[in-house]
Amino acid sequence: METNRDFSGIPVETLVKQSGLRHIAFIMDGNGRWAKKRMLPREAGHKAGADNFKTIVRYCKKIGMECCTVYAFSTENIKRPRREVEALFRLLISFIEEAAEEDDIEFRFIGEPGELGETIGQRTKQLEDSTRGRPYRLNIAFNYGGRAEIVHAVNRLMAEGKTSVTEDDISANLYTAGRPEPDLIVRTGAEMRISNFLLWQAAYAELIFSDILWPDYSTSDVDAAVREFASRSRRFGGLDKADQTGGT
Ligand code: IPE
Ligand code: IPE
Ligand code: MG
């Protein structure tokens, strides 16, 4: 892998364009530990995380990305104490209320937020319906699991009467259908795992694991991630141009 190419003098917007970074995805982890370090309840960490999420999403749009995905609540997070889960649901509802301020984001909720209650189901759908057709695409993974998403896609195909399927069939029936696959996935919070996120779509995504806790992850950390991405060589199983020797 080629790393550490020096891109320090190049503006980050140029690097986004030149490197083909269309879609960045974040596993926003570390809110609980951020709160614990400050002797605050975990819910305070989620509030700080939700505020930071708005800053980072807007910044990614500003530097020229087309699409952003954030992992906000996994299908497994429901196992957490009720108080914490309810705080996360309240943060989602207030986020949706404030989302009216955004005028160029097309929101999509990936996962099954509607299974979490009628209010969440209605509000998420309303936001999707009222923002359709806008240029910057934001996927919010809420009650999302990568395995559940693939099962959901296969069940839809079976309901159509398919007895055998292609990769394109599966892709077209995922929650992310019609949107680009992530080029880069950043996980904050020091864990080096994928935790059931975008299992299908991540096939050739570049991965960055950061020790920074999500509420502390800043726009300059996004810049550093873009520079790291631009320094990588994505081969998709092939060879770098310089190594193509003319087939002999
Ligand atoms: C990520 O932060 C947000 C959610 C999973 C909802 P955590 O709450 O997992 O934070 P840590 O990992 O406990 O620090
Ligand atoms: C992943 O974080 C899910 C989200 C960030 C929403 P978790 O904190 O739930 O993941 P694990 O339990 O450490 O794998
Ligand atoms: Mg965590």
Side-chain angles (χ1 to χ4, degrees):
M1 185 175 71
E2 287 176 60
T3 49
N4 303 324
R5 281 198 265 157
D6 183 19
F7 291 126
S8 50
I10 305 177
V12 76
E13 290 84 350
T14 309
L15 286 178
V16 166
K17 216 178 201 159
Q18 282 179 354
S19 63
L21 178 48
R22 298 172 67 200
H23 180 178
I24 189 166
F26 293 100
I27 301 178
M28 308 186 290
D29 197 21
N31 295 347
R33 280 163 284 163
W34 183 92
K36 197 171 177 189
K37 264 174 59 181
R38 287 163 180 75
M39 319 271 265
L40 293 168
R42 293 180 58 84
E43 292 73 25
H46 294 312
K47 170 77 177 79
D51 290 342
N52 196 40
F53 148 68
K54 286 182 244 171
T55 307
I56 297 297
V57 164
R58 287 190 189 124
Y59 185 69
C60 292
K61 180 177 76 171
K62 182 170 162 254
I63 61 175
M65 285 181 223
E66 289 170 34
C67 187
C68 179
T69 299
V70 291
Y71 201 8
F73 190 83
S74 75
T75 44
E76 290 75 41
N77 289 147
I78 199 79
K79 295 179 200 159
R80 295 188 179 195
R82 198 174 149 162
R83 177 189 148 131
E84 179 170 348
V85 169
E86 284 177 354
L88 287 162
F89 293 177
R90 279 196 301 276
L91 281 170
L92 174 70
I93 298 290
S94 44
F95 171 79
I96 292 174
E97 278 159 8
E98 288 164 24
E101 293 163 20
E102 308 293 337
D103 55 10
D104 49 5
I105 301 182
E106 183 187 72
F107 291 86
R108 187 185 292 185
F109 290 89
I110 62 171
E112 296 292 344
E115 286 178 1
L116 301 172
E118 214 172 301
T119 311
I120 292 185
Q122 282 168 358
R123 302 280 177 92
T124 50
K125 189 162 182 316
Q126 266 165 16
L127 186 62
E128 289 179 340
D129 289 345
S130 62
T131 60
R132 204 158 279 133
R134 293 178 176 182
Y136 178 69
R137 282 111 162 252
L138 175 61
N139 300 315
I140 300 176
F142 209 96
N143 201 18
Y144 173 89
R147 287 186 174 181
E149 181 180 35
I150 296 167
V151 169
H152 177 258
V154 171
N155 280 328
R156 277 176 55 159
L157 289 160
M158 282 166 58
E160 278 173 22
K162 292 246 194 227
T163 50
S164 108
V165 298
T166 64
E167 291 191 8
D168 285 346
D169 288 333
I170 304 255
S171 295
N173 283 278
L174 297 175
Y175 300 122
T176 52
R179 292 189 165 188
E181 290 185 353
D183 300 298
L184 172 61
I185 298 178
V186 176
R187 181 175 187 142
T188 62
E191 308 291 4
M192 291 208 229
R193 55 178 169 258
I194 219 77
S195 300
N196 205 11
F197 187 51
L198 301 180
L199 296 181
W200 179 276
Q201 300 88 333
Y204 270 102
E206 294 298 320
L207 306 177
I208 292 180
F209 296 96
S210 164
D211 289 344
I212 300 166
L213 303 175
W214 174 257
D216 290 330
Y217 193 80
S218 69
T219 56
S220 56
D221 297 316
V222 175
D223 289 351
V226 170
R227 289 181 200 287
E228 168 68 25
F229 176 83
S231 78
R232 303 248 183 120
S233 169
R234 299 183 84 190
R235 290 184 287 277
F236 299 96
L239 296 180
D240 283 329
K241 263 203 191 107
D243 296 323
Q244 311 263 13
T245 54
T248 50

